[in-house]
Amino acid sequence: MAVRLLMKVSVDQIVDEGGGIRSFYFRPEDRRQFPPVLPGAHTLLRVTKGMMRQYSLCAPPGDRRYRLAIRLDPAGRGGSRFMHESAHVGDIFYLSYPQPDFLLDPDRPSYSFFAGGVGITPMLSFLYALQGRTCRIRLCYFVRADGAVPFEQEIRALCPQVEIFNSAQGGRASFEDLLDGSRGDAIYCCGSAPFVAGVQGAAESLGLGTIQVESFVSGVKAGYLGEPFVVDLPRSRHVLDIPSDRSMLDVLLEDGVDIDYACEAGVCRSCIVDVIEGEIIHRDQCLTEDERRTVMTPCVSRGRGRIVINSI
Amino acid sequence: MTGRVCGIYTAEVAAQEMMEGHECRLLANVGIEGDRYARRIGRWSDRPKTEHQISFIELEVLHQIYDETGVVLTPRETRRNIITCGVRLNDFLGQTIRVGKNALVYVEKLNHPCKYLERLIDKQVMASLLGRSGLNCQVISGGIVRLGDRIERVL
C-alpha cells in the first residue's frame, strides 16, 4: 500500500520511441520536486475525469522529471489514444505518488529480466538501479517493431548483452529454453497478460519457483459475463440493476457515479468501494483476504442478490 | 465562542494532494474558488450537495489523534478546506458562522470520515476521526478568508 494522492504535473517533453511508443516527460506544477521513485514503481495517470491509467516510472537517474512510456493501442479503452492524439507539451495532468508494487531485490548476484513490448519500462528502471553493480544481468526483450526497436539505444548502453526478439523480423524464442539458462537468477517479467502467463507457465514447468511479475491488464476479461445482481447506494439513494453482460463499474459510470478506475481488470485497486451488506463474488487479483470482507473492485467482481455500497 | 483560521487548503481535482494557501475566496452557494467542489469535479460532485461546498476541521483534533494513537495526521492530509483552532466545531451544527469579515457559511452536517481518505493517504485514521471529523457546510455569503481570520457564530 502507498499514498495514492495525485500531484499536478505538466508535460515537459514528448519523445517518439518507435513501435507506437511515446515517452512523456512530466515536471511538477504544485511542488518543487517529485517524490523519489523506487525502481519498478508505477504511477497512476489521470487521463481525464475518472479515467486513470497505470504506467511504470522509468526516467534515468539524475533526471528529476517523471517519464512514462505509453504505447498507442488503437483498439484499447481510450487512455493511450487520448495521450497520443491530444496531449501536448505544457498540458496539465495529474499523477499519483509512485506505487511500489513491483520492486527489485537489490542484493541478488544474478538477474533475468523478461520484457514484452512496453513491459520493458520497469526493466529500464531496474537496469539503471543496477548500474555499477557486480552482478550478472540477463535481459530478454520481446518486441514487434517494423522500424526502430523502442529504447534499443538506451538499453544497449545499460545492458550490451540484451537479447532482442523482434517478431516483425522473425525473432522468436522459447520461454522454456531461455529460462533454462536463468536457473538461480532472480527473475522478473513484465508485459501483456498472455506474455506474462507464458513466462510464468514456462517457469513453473521448469520448477523455477515464483517469479516476480507485473502486468497492468490481467487475464480477467473486463465486463465479465456473470451473475445479475442489485447494488444499493444509500448515500445517493440509487438502486441499480447490474445485468449479467455488464460490469458493476460500467453501470456505476453510466449512472454518473464519480468513481476512479484504471485497469478495469481487478489488478490496480483504483475503483475499490466499501461494501456494508451482502455477499461479494470477488474476481480481483489485488485485495487481501482481510480486505475482501469489506471492499470490492466493481470492475470485475460482482454481488450475489443484493449488495449495499457505502462509499459512493 | 471565537476561533481562528489556521490553515487553508484546496485541491483542483478529486484526489489531488491539497494545496496550502494564505487566503481563499468563498463564492456564495458554490464553494471555494478553484476548489474541486466549486469546479464540480470533486469526489462527490456526481451527486452535488451544498454540504460539499466547504469543510472545516479542528487542529486540536489532529493533536488529540497523535496523542491517542501516535498517528500523525497533518492538516493537509485531512482534505478539509479550513483548519481551525480555538473553537469546538461540533457546537456549530445547524448554525450560521462568519469566517473572516464577510463570508457566511451554514453548518449543514458533521463530517463522517470515510475509507476513501484512508486509501488516499495510506493511514488508518477513520476510527480516530469518528465524532470529530469536522463540518460540511454551505457558503451562504461569499468573501475573502485569510489565515488568522476569526470564526464565530452569527447571532
Side-chain angles (χ1 to χ4, degrees), chain A residues 7-12 26-34 90-94, chain B residues 12 16 19:
Chain A
M7 302 174 283
K8 184 178 182 178
V9 301
S10 62
V11 179
D12 191 55
F26 293 93
R27 60 184 174 85
E29 288 288 327
D30 61 357
R31 64 203 65 220
R32 289 176 60 196
Q33 59 187 41
F34 282 128
D91 286 356
I92 297 294
F93 286 91
Y94 297 85
Chain B
E12 295 176 352
Q16 184 194 3
M19 297 180 292

Side-chain angles (χ1 to χ4, degrees), chain A residues 97-269:
Chain A
Y97 272 63
Q99 304 296 299
D101 295 335
F102 184 56
L103 296 180
L104 184 71
D105 179 347
D107 299 318
R108 300 294 293 265
S110 58
Y111 298 89
S112 281
F113 300 130
F114 286 76
V118 77
I120 190 67
T121 51
M123 307 311 177
L124 278 173
S125 66
F126 288 163
L127 294 176
Y128 280 119
L130 293 171
Q131 263 184 309
R133 290 276 311 280
T134 51
C135 56
R136 190 176 70 80
I137 298 173
R138 183 180 193 204
L139 172 59
C140 299
Y141 181 19
F142 293 78
V143 67
R144 179 176 186 81
D146 292 322
V149 171
F151 304 106
E152 181 172 2
Q153 199 173 355
E154 188 175 345
I155 293 166
R156 289 201 183 280
L158 291 163
C159 183
Q161 68 275 24
V162 59
E163 300 161 64
I164 297 178
F165 304 97
N166 185 351
S167 62
Q169 296 175 0
R172 296 271 191 283
S174 146
F175 292 148
E176 281 85 355
D177 291 346
L178 292 172
L179 282 165
D180 203 31
S182 296
R183 291 180 185 277
D185 292 357
I187 301 171
Y188 294 78
C189 172
C190 183
S192 66
F195 177 82
V196 169
V199 175
Q200 274 182 311
E204 280 172 24
S205 70
L206 292 171
L208 295 183
T210 305
I211 65 173
Q212 304 302 313
V213 302
E214 181 170 69
S215 179
F216 292 142
V217 178
S218 84
V220 179
K221 196 170 181 178
Y224 176 87
L225 289 176
E227 306 76 2
F229 62 107
V230 174
V231 176
D232 194 344
L233 309 172
R235 287 183 73 143
S236 52
R237 298 191 183 90
H238 282 215
V239 178
L240 304 175
D241 288 314
I242 315 295
S244 60
D245 62 345
R246 300 189 67 191
S247 73
M248 178 174 154
L249 177 66
D250 281 345
V251 177
L252 290 171
L253 290 169
E254 185 180 82
D255 190 53
V257 172
D258 196 1
I259 184 171
D260 290 337
Y261 61 100
C263 71
E264 297 176 61
V267 297
C268 77
R269 306 179 65 90

Side-chain angles (χ1 to χ4, degrees), chain A residues 1-6 8 30-31 49 94 97 235-236 238 255-258 272 274 294 311, chain B residues 12-17 19 39-47 49 79 115-116 119-122:
Chain A
M1 303 286 264
V3 172
R4 292 175 72 95
L5 292 163
L6 301 180
K8 184 178 182 178
D30 61 357
R31 64 203 65 220
K49 184 174 181 290
Y94 297 85
Y97 272 63
R235 287 183 73 143
S236 52
H238 282 215
D255 190 53
V257 172
D258 196 1
I272 288 174
D274 299 320
T294 56
S311 53
Chain B
E12 295 176 352
V13 297
Q16 184 194 3
E17 190 162 36
M19 297 180 292
R39 302 176 72 208
R40 297 190 173 245
I41 47 176
R43 168 68 173 167
W44 310 106
S45 292
D46 57 312
R47 314 261 198 261
K49 292 180 181 174
R79 306 196 64 72
K115 286 197 172 179
Y116 171 69
R119 286 194 283 269
L120 276 184
I121 66 174
D122 195 26

Side-chain angles (χ1 to χ4, degrees), chain A residues 49-117:
Chain A
K49 184 174 181 290
M51 184 196 281
M52 308 285 284
R53 291 290 181 264
Q54 298 164 281
Y55 298 103
S56 295
L57 290 160
C58 58
D63 191 333
R64 301 174 83 174
R65 301 172 298 177
Y66 278 0
R67 176 173 70 166
L68 281 56
I70 301 176
R71 183 179 68 83
L72 175 64
D73 181 0
R77 296 165 293 144
S80 67
R81 199 164 55 245
F82 182 92
M83 292 305 293
H84 276 248
E85 294 175 0
S86 303
H88 301 97
V89 170
D91 286 356
I92 297 294
F93 286 91
Y94 297 85
L95 290 178
S96 78
Y97 272 63
Q99 304 296 299
D101 295 335
F102 184 56
L103 296 180
L104 184 71
D105 179 347
D107 299 318
R108 300 294 293 265
S110 58
Y111 298 89
S112 281
F113 300 130
F114 286 76

